[in-house]
Amino acid sequence: MELNEYIGHLKYEFDIPVSRMRKIVREFHSEMKKGLCGRKSSLKMIPTYVDIPTGKEKGSFLALDLGGTNFRVLEVKLKGSGRTIPPKVMKFVLDKKRIAGKGDKLFDFFAGCIEKFIKYDGCRGPKERKLGFTFSFPIKQTGVASGDLVLWTKGFSATGVVGKDVVKLLEDALARKGLDSIKVTALANDTVGTLIARSYQDKDCDVGVIIGTGTNACYREKVSNIKKWPGAATPSGRMIINIEWGNFNKLRRAACDIALDRASKNPGDQILEKMVSGMYMGEIARLVLADMSKRGFLFSGPAKKAIQKKGVLKTQYASEIEADRSTGLSKTASILKELGIKNSTLRDREMVRTVCGIVSSRSARVSASALAAVVTKADPGLLKKHVIAIDGTVYERHPTFAKKMRRALKEIFGKKSSNIKIVLSKDGSGKGAAIIAAIA
Ligand code: GLC
């Protein structure tokens, strides 16, 4: 195959024209409906037991916000009337040993971090404190403050947690530290936290999205549409559904997607997430580049070996390369040097940048299609205004992603796309869990 032919094929494999986006919307709707009925579906459609807050919730709450390897403990003060005081925050990082070790040890570590936080905060004592727990993994919720881990995603594999109630695991760990006065009164997914935090101040907000290490969304659904829901209706008649959209699998995959999935910790799962999120975008680009290099289209000498190494091209690097406007792509040259690719030619670098762009375009267009499906589930004609609270490193920091996603929405909806207002809602996930703790 000639290079031109190869690039043509690559573009075809990754291209998502508007007709395909519309097809994704239709299939997404069908999976959503099946998931709501409790039928087999790639979308879990998890009822969260809560709806958006009134904005009048008040008080001081702790939150543990676990999104991935970075997590935070915070204290959130809700003033009522939709306002909060900027929270006190402590950040922590989980190392590989912890995410792949014993579950008990992982939760002991969380409890230890909470202990550190309250010592610093000076609020240790017999006084009961309520804590909202943001746990950003697929949880089968069994109550506002209980739920079992269905499976790990985003590279986590700690043992003894799948199938267990994560709130109980956290409370047991807190008790082992003598912190029984802390009661976990809310369990939330990060998308739910993000939606709740935004809707505390903005009543038009009805969707929460995360596009970061992982990706997912939640939205408000009529309880009467949640056929699998055995309980009573909420006062508003609506409930937030955690879609777990990362697992959507009605997507055409390219050869590198299949290779990436096979080499992952959770083959067969999280197909959309593996095309979209920050944990995988760089690796997809790397797999393409490695294939090109093998075919003799790219790199020479030791560079050929360096690009074969799994994980060398982090999404952050791919983002910086896509943003590179320096003469001779010198910034790209120095990034590649860091990866062990010392002798790239300008043509190599241009090719690398093109591939990074192809990968991020597909990611943005798949995300836009999924978002279009979520918004039109409740409002097929897109007649109302919808505020989408969004967070995550890819949406926030990638140089072209947000723009490409907006453009794709415009292709799908035309002028009506102005009814979709996407607002970056930073750090809402923890705050949202605290608000749920207040509702509960
Ligand atoms: C993964 C998790 C999901 C979370 C998302 C974003 O997809 O399964 O629960 O919301 O990452 O962090």
Side-chain angles (χ1 to χ4, degrees):
M1 204 191 288
E2 295 290 314
L3 177 59
N4 276 349
E5 205 184 325
Y6 186 89
I7 295 288
H9 177 68
L10 191 67
K11 286 195 171 146
Y12 165 77
E13 266 196 310
F14 277 76
D15 187 27
I16 308 202
V18 68
S19 56
R20 192 174 296 272
M21 290 200 281
R22 294 213 170 97
K23 186 159 180 264
I24 295 175
V25 171
R26 287 195 299 276
E27 286 182 324
F28 207 96
H29 281 161
S30 145
E31 291 289 283
M32 285 176 102
K33 281 181 197 146
K34 280 193 235 160
L36 288 173
C37 294
R39 280 167 56 204
K40 201 171 170 308
S41 164
S42 63
L43 297 178
K44 293 184 189 70
M45 306 298 285
I46 302 165
T48 61
Y49 290 74
V50 284
D51 190 21
I52 57 169
T54 59
K56 297 203 180 91
E57 294 74 8
K58 257 190 185 170
S60 162
F61 301 88
L62 294 170
L64 170 63
D65 181 6
L66 174 70
T69 46
N70 294 312
F71 74 97
R72 314 179 306 152
V73 180
L74 49 160
E75 188 190 29
V76 180
K77 288 195 171 134
L78 309 172
K79 295 190 68 173
S81 64
R83 283 187 302 135
T84 51
I85 292 172
K88 285 186 197 156
V89 185
M90 238 187 212
K91 294 183 179 166
F92 301 90
V93 180
L94 286 170
D95 55 25
K96 279 210 178 108
K97 207 177 74 215
R98 290 212 164 83
I99 67 173
K102 286 204 175 118
D104 283 350
K105 292 267 173 314
L106 179 67
F107 281 81
D108 279 338
F109 182 66
F110 295 150
C113 295
I114 295 173
E115 186 177 38
K116 227 186 230 168
F117 179 84
I118 56 179
K119 263 191 196 149
Y120 137 92
D121 198 32
C123 60
R124 181 165 194 155
K127 198 177 116 214
E128 191 177 297
R129 299 291 317 258
K130 287 184 180 173
L131 179 139
F133 184 14
T134 309
F135 190 79
S136 309
F137 297 91
I139 286 286
K140 186 175 180 307
Q141 270 196 260
T142 48
V144 182
S146 57
D148 305 339
L149 176 63
V150 181
L151 65 132
W152 282 121
T153 52
K154 298 182 280 196
F156 276 63
S157 61
T159 55
V161 188
V162 173
K164 300 264 175 63
D165 179 357
V166 293
V167 170
K168 170 111 194 354
L169 292 178
L170 181 60
E171 284 189 331
D172 289 350
L174 286 167
R176 287 197 287 275
K177 291 251 181 293
L179 296 172
D180 333 48
S181 57
I182 298 178
K183 301 286 174 227
V184 183
T185 57
L187 173 65
N189 184 257
D190 49 357
T191 57
V192 179
T194 302
L195 165 57
I196 296 251
R198 182 80 207 177
S199 58
Y200 187 64
Q201 59 179 77
D202 182 347
K203 289 288 148 286
D204 286 332
C205 184
D206 53 8
V207 179
V209 176
I210 301 284
I211 306 178
T213 308
T215 184
N216 185 18
C218 69
Y219 74 111
R220 298 181 71 203
E221 180 60 275
K222 279 190 194 145
V223 176
S224 58
N225 286 340
I226 314 170
K227 303 285 185 233
K228 66 182 173 187
W229 174 249
T234 53
S236 65
R238 288 177 189 268
M239 185 180 290
I240 298 172
I241 295 285
N242 168 14
I243 303 173
E244 285 294 328
W245 84 10
N247 198 49
F248 181 70
N249 64 7
K250 305 284 176 269
L251 295 164
R252 187 187 63 169
R253 290 193 291 170
C256 62
D257 297 312
I258 294 165
L260 179 140
D261 181 44
R262 282 207 186 120
S264 73
K265 285 209 172 117
N266 51 352
D269 292 334
Q270 303 295 100
I271 299 301
L272 179 144
E273 181 159 275
K274 285 171 181 159
M275 290 186 180
V276 164
S277 78
M279 182 152 174
Y280 305 102
M281 257 205 269
E283 179 64 2
I284 298 170
R286 186 200 68 83
L287 284 164
V288 173
L289 296 169
D291 183 49
M292 291 179 76
S293 169
K294 263 195 187 153
R295 290 168 187 265
F297 295 144
L298 203 69
F299 301 141
S300 61
K304 285 196 165 299
K305 198 161 161 222
I307 197 68
Q308 299 301 329
K309 196 167 157 224
K310 185 177 168 189
V312 281
L313 184 62
K314 303 250 177 316
T315 300
Q316 191 198 326
Y317 295 140
S319 304
E320 287 168 18
I321 290 173
E322 208 183 320
D324 188 5
R325 295 284 172 272
S326 61
T327 356
L329 295 181
S330 60
K331 183 129 196 267
T332 300
S334 62
I335 294 171
L336 291 176
K337 232 178 238 164
E338 266 180 58
L339 315 183
I341 299 171
K342 300 201 172 70
N343 55 339
S344 64
T345 63
L346 178 57
R347 207 180 126 269
D348 287 338
R349 298 196 285 277
E350 281 168 353
M351 199 61 76
V352 172
R353 196 176 62 175
T354 304
V355 169
C356 292
I358 290 176
V359 171
S360 72
S361 294
R362 184 182 66 166
S363 165
R365 293 174 80 81
V366 169
S367 308
S369 314
L371 179 58
V374 175
V375 175
T376 52
K377 167 76 175 59
D379 180 10
L382 199 57
L383 304 173
K384 278 189 2 216
K385 187 171 151 205
H386 300 269
V387 172
I388 318 299
I390 196 163
D391 198 4
T393 43
V394 171
Y395 187 83
E396 188 195 355
R397 298 196 203 139
H398 190 281
T400 61
F401 183 92
K403 222 187 295 156
K404 286 173 175 176
M405 190 170 162
R406 272 242 67 101
R407 204 182 303 146
L409 284 168
K410 202 157 184 199
E411 282 176 45
I412 300 174
F413 293 118
K415 275 201 196 113
K416 275 196 187 156
S417 72
S418 61
N419 270 349
I420 301 176
K421 189 172 155 211
I422 304 178
V423 285
L424 180 67
S425 306
K426 276 193 58 68
D427 301 336
S429 50
K431 196 162 117 190
I435 298 171
I436 302 174
I439 304 174

